[in-house]
Amino acid sequence: MGLMDFKALVSVSVNGKDVNSALLPRLSSITIVDTAGTQSDTLQIELTDHVGLMPIALPKTGAEIEVALGYALGAKVVGLYIADEVQVSGPPGRLTITAYSATHGDSDEGRSPISEQRSRSWLDGTTVKTLVETIARGAGYQAAVSRAAGEIALQHLDQIDESDIAILNRVARENGLIFKPAGGRLVMVKAGESTSASGEKLPRVAVTPADITSWTARFLRREAVRAVVATYQDTASAASVSVRAEGAPRQTSTATSITDAQATADSLLSTATQTRTIRRAQPTRAAAERAAQAELDRSRRAERQLSVSMPGRADLMAEGRLVLSGFRPGINGEWLIKTVRHQLDGAGYRCSVECEGAPVG
């Protein structure tokens, strides 16, 4: 018996209050997009509004909306979102609510925006954990920082006419981290570690051909690099100094005999010899080394990509992993989830999943 044999369930609450009895009879579709970093997760609810004598009261923005998805055996909370946009259209009459995991104004539950520009400095030696906790506390969020990410000590940072979300994204990008607002928290973890901020491993979802509708795998030479170079300004000599992060040697086995996806990528991309240079100079040698390694790791993940369409599963989440088995040679193995699109409408509950290469280890 597969997932499609069960009836899909959805549960919605607004500011902690169950609204299923009012919302579900008018529900046309729910779409949730869960991404790994930089972009805020999004929720879109579409309701039918074609009954002329009973129009839906237009909801106020700023409400906090929690959604759970699943099947007859139980629904799982997918996320918490803050209503940002209300759209009405017709014919036929439709009301669409768009919400994000990061607020663009004060929410009903007291969270304030992290997208407003501000100026301040962060002292040399400030850890990522302290940075996230300080910003989260000021905006009414909870900080959720993994141990590996939180221990990184930063050089002096000037935040000049820069939003909190921009500086968090900058720190994440330069240090090989993933930052995102999610579920009322500001989350910072190492890219590809597939670990939640509490230290727990994210789900590894096993998938066979019988579990999916369709799939596509790609191996991209343009993303394959042999090394990454970053620079920093040496204060003693006033000279620009380069540091280099080298990738491990690739396997060169015949691709048709390989069943592991990473080994296949190594074989297909073994002739790629390009070196990538990071244009932005780093403040110190340590920062340059971290930036170069982060870009090398990102490129190694991005050089193989997978798209999967399948019946809906609420346990699929960004930074979790898909574990493929039973597919054609060269595709099986672990893939890191970048984006999950949950879609629930008249056709049922289904997911579209975008993945990239999972780091080894």
Side-chain angles (χ1 to χ4, degrees):
M1 180 174 288
L3 292 178
M4 295 299 286
D5 297 312
F6 295 104
K7 182 180 179 180
L9 292 180
V10 60
S11 179
V12 180
S13 65
V14 176
N15 293 333
K17 181 181 178 181
D18 187 316
V19 296
N20 289 319
S21 60
L23 182 143
L24 295 186
R26 296 287 193 96
L27 181 64
S28 177
S29 68
I30 282 184
T31 303
I32 295 174
V33 180
D34 176 18
T35 63
T38 66
Q39 298 182 11
S40 178
D41 294 346
T42 62
L43 163 70
Q44 190 169 85
I45 299 175
E46 186 174 276
L47 305 172
T48 59
D49 190 35
H50 59 277
V51 183
L53 298 179
M54 298 178 59
I56 300 174
L58 297 181
K60 292 190 293 186
T61 61
E64 297 195 357
I65 306 171
E66 185 178 79
V67 178
L69 295 172
Y71 293 90
L73 297 179
K76 173 183 171 63
V77 173
V78 179
L80 178 70
Y81 311 89
I82 300 166
D84 182 76
E85 177 183 330
V86 176
Q87 173 183 297
V88 288
S89 61
R94 297 282 185 191
L95 187 149
T96 304
I97 302 167
T98 302
Y100 301 95
S101 57
T103 179
H104 297 280
D106 292 343
S107 78
D108 289 353
E109 298 299 303
R111 298 182 223 281
S112 57
I114 56 174
S115 55
E116 295 179 352
Q117 292 183 340
R118 59 188 305 169
S119 296
R120 56 180 163 179
S121 293
W122 300 90
L123 297 178
D124 187 62
T126 299
T127 63
V128 169
K129 185 175 188 291
T130 299
L131 175 73
V132 178
E133 286 180 341
T134 302
I135 292 174
R137 187 164 51 248
Y141 288 83
Q142 294 181 352
V145 185
S146 70
R147 177 178 295 181
E151 292 175 345
I152 296 174
L154 304 171
Q155 303 300 315
H156 178 90
L157 285 174
D158 287 320
Q159 183 180 353
I160 302 174
D161 292 332
E162 186 178 17
S163 67
D164 287 338
I165 195 169
I167 197 167
L168 288 168
N169 279 325
R170 173 155 64 97
V171 166
R173 182 177 62 252
E174 294 176 353
N175 292 276
L177 306 176
I178 290 288
F179 165 72
K180 65 182 292 183
R185 302 180 300 168
L186 301 184
V187 180
M188 188 79 82
V189 297
K190 286 198 70 175
E193 69 176 333
S194 296
T195 301
S196 70
S198 63
E200 298 179 357
K201 284 291 184 182
L202 294 178
R204 296 172 70 255
V205 179
V207 175
T208 68
D211 299 319
I212 69 169
T213 307
S214 64
W215 61 271
T216 301
R218 298 171 294 279
F219 299 90
L220 309 177
R221 182 182 173 87
R222 64 179 176 272
E223 289 289 354
V225 298
R226 183 178 63 185
V228 175
V229 173
T231 61
Y232 70 97
Q233 196 75 15
D234 182 69
T235 55
S237 65
S240 178
V241 180
S242 298
V243 297
R244 185 181 181 94
E246 294 275 359
R250 294 183 182 273
Q251 300 182 40
T252 57
S253 304
T254 303
T256 54
S257 65
I258 300 172
T259 57
D260 175 71
Q262 180 58 64
T264 304
D266 283 348
S267 177
L268 295 178
L269 305 173
S270 60
T271 59
T273 59
Q274 65 174 321
T275 296
R276 183 171 297 160
T277 300
I278 299 175
R279 293 183 179 179
R280 182 186 177 123
Q282 305 300 312
T284 65
R285 182 181 185 88
E289 290 174 343
R290 285 199 301 268
Q293 188 62 51
E295 176 59 20
L296 180 65
D297 293 342
R298 187 207 65 79
S299 297
R300 277 295 175 96
R301 295 193 302 272
E303 67 188 24
R304 59 184 176 102
Q305 300 178 8
L306 175 73
S307 301
V308 174
S309 297
M310 61 190 300
R313 295 188 58 153
D315 57 348
L316 292 171
M317 60 184 66
E319 281 290 296
R321 301 200 181 198
L322 278 187
V323 185
L324 272 58
S325 61
F327 291 78
R328 61 149 287 146
I331 306 302
N332 295 304
E334 291 199 357
W335 295 80
L336 181 69
I337 299 175
K338 286 181 60 181
T339 304
V340 182
R341 180 184 179 91
H342 300 268
Q343 180 81 36
L344 178 66
D345 54 26
Y349 176 27
R350 57 199 182 277
C351 287
S352 300
V353 188
E354 298 294 329
C355 303
E356 62 184 6
V360 178

